Amino acid sequence: MLTTLRRIVLAFNQQPELDVALSNMVSDVKTALATDCCSVYLADDSKQHFLLMASDGLAQGSLGRTAIGFSEGLVGLVGQREEPINIDNAQQHPRFKYAPEVEEDDLFAFLGTPIIHQRRVVGVLTVQQKQARQFDENEEAFLVTLSAQLAGAIANIDSKGSRTRLASLPSKPFLQGIPSSPGVAIGNIFVSYPKAQLSSVSLTKTEQPKEQAAALKQALQRTRSDLTKMAEQMQGVIPQDTLEIFEMYRHMLESATIGNEIYDKIAEGWDAQSALKLIIDQYVVQFEGVEDAYIRERATDIKDLGNRVLLHLQENEAQHIAVPDDMILVAEEVTAALLAEFQQSQIRAVVSLRGSTNSHAVILARALGIPAVVGLGQMSLASFRNQQAIVDGYSGEVYLSPKASILTKYRRLQREEQELNQIIAKVINLPAITRDGRSIELLLNAGLSSQFDESMKNGASGIGLYRTEIPFMERNCFPSEQEQYQWYQVVLASFPRQPVVMRTLDIGGDKELTYFPVEESNPFLGWRGIRITLDHPEIFLVQIRAMLKANADSGNLEIMLPMISNVSEVDEAITLIKQAHAEVSSELQQQLAKPKLGVMIEVPSVIFQLDELAQRVDFFSVGSNDLTQYLLAVDRNNARVSGLYDVYHPSVLRALNFIAERAQKNLIELSLCGELAGEPAGALLLLAMGYDKLSMTSKSIPKVKWVVRNVEFKHSQKILAHCLQCATSEQVHAYLNRELEQLGFGSFVRAGK
């Protein structure tokens, strides 16, 4: 059954036309279960009904016409109960709805399973049989498993690139994603495709078949040449029988059948990459559907061969791609490295089909002031090509080829945003003091770029988080003490007589060093942060020595330890810092001042050791991003659960408030350097809790300063008191949005003034 399931799912995913994919799927299921009928209904939320889309067994004239209300019939019952319904005689069931046009008078047995994607019923898959009987548990398990595997593809039916999508299916004027970086952008889309992975190719039609055929011919020739060179290089290195793999690849490549089939697809109107994908996927489905293990393994070979040809097709295409000046960057998953490939001035907005609101790429986008939307789902990248678009980073809405009225609306909102930024800019050099005299320091999160520009200050009174790992990540080996000294000296000198908090090397999780690979099944709960540097004191000592030397003249260094989970780690780090301090003092022949030492509060365990930690360090700095991740047990880079990641979760807010209370009791300085600090609502709550310092991106400082200067501390305390009593994140968000609107700060959470 597993082989059959895999074959059906592969065939469905590789079929470019939605109606054909659904039709083939129901026929395959009917055959696999040896039943008399299989049908699929898709949900239309706007009309509150399920529409019969494909069937092998019901009248073909009813397809696209027969609708069953969400609260009607057995199909509606499956959707309501969100579980399989297995009935031996459907026509005797009280919920049975007679629809003469489907011609099911002789069908009695009924099994239906919901197709559920992200908690929403997007369709119902049914099988029926003339014999009145209950389907057995294996048949039911098969249908449930198939529905679960098809859910993602069916939920995003645009991802099929179908040109025959029925008009009765709902269509919104915009694509809905997750808002990740505020702002509004209008520009032209540039699609960045994944490199040489057929699975990531978006099916696309072409109006230039001759040019596409020529590109394919050239790619095939280059691939043959590559295989010949690889075989020659391996001659005498590996056994002769192993070398035959290259000969087999060449034979497959030169097969008249495969080559002609790809050219035929181009003649049908598909571009070269799409034609290659369609034929290779077709052969993969055939191979993987065979019981013989050796033949099944050939599926891997043909996929590899297809990817090799694709690489040359992409290289050829890349030479002809022009990057627009007003670029909206769209990719399956936008990464920090991808952002770095382009000039920052070119990028107007970022749209990522996958990813989460707290990936490092999104954090970088916020730092650059670039609107970003993530989590659009399994859309087709091809559907974005060569289009103008509007990206609303407040609402998560993306408009493709927008109407003139929508363009006019968003151009007005852009003008209002620019006017607002001019107003906010007036407070850049003023202190962050509330109307009733409560002050708070606003610091800068820095280090996402190895370059430090004076213009980045934007009114900051120091650096609250300098990510020292970024320069490490841009190299191919560990930097020397002298190199690090030069880096740190520049940063410290940029903020004379103001604090600069440098976090010691924080690698692991999703921050990898290519020259120091760490392979783990769960890296966020593994070897990262202080755990690595304590296990490698030679790395830690060199970094601390470089920091201390750089601080000899400036005297504004503060050191922060990341990923602390227990007191003993702090004790070990203090011992090493004392050693480095003694060594550098001796080397420079002067008694160096000891910089302040702090710890990041991001692992929940240390929340209950704050009193002990306060006896050992000079300050606490809360890393709200990771603290939220660990408190809620949500991987913030996992798109499947990104909706559960919410720093306004009542448990997170109560934890942050508890930390503030313990810090005040111990008279220890407290800051927060996560993304929450740069949000107006978050800043108000943290101000009310009693945080001394907030550290954020350069772009966030003016608006947070404006909010602080235009609110009373007493009012922020009332807002906090209400939020701490809320039971859900939704209640917190709704209340905060209302309060911000009433205070006149609504423009910070939506487009326009």
Side-chain angles (χ1 to χ4, degrees), residues 95-142:
R95 282 291 296 267
F96 178 75
K97 179 182 179 181
Y98 180 64
E101 72 274 11
V102 302
E103 300 176 8
E104 60 178 344
D105 293 1
D106 59 345
L107 297 174
F108 297 95
F110 173 93
L111 171 62
T113 63
I115 303 170
I116 300 176
H117 180 71
Q118 294 181 348
R119 306 185 184 185
R120 172 177 163 258
V121 177
V122 297
V124 173
L125 182 62
T126 69
V127 290
Q128 295 168 270
Q129 197 156 12
K130 295 177 181 179
Q131 178 188 357
R133 70 174 182 92
Q134 279 221 324
F135 287 90
D136 65 38
E137 60 183 21
N138 290 329
E139 292 169 318
E140 184 173 321
F142 179 91

Side-chain angles (χ1 to χ4, degrees), residues 193 271 273 312-321 385:
Y193 291 97
D271 69 10
Q273 292 189 32
H312 289 298
L313 281 173
Q314 290 180 336
E315 288 175 345
N316 181 62
E317 185 176 300
Q319 297 173 3
H320 303 91
I321 294 178
R385 291 179 64 179

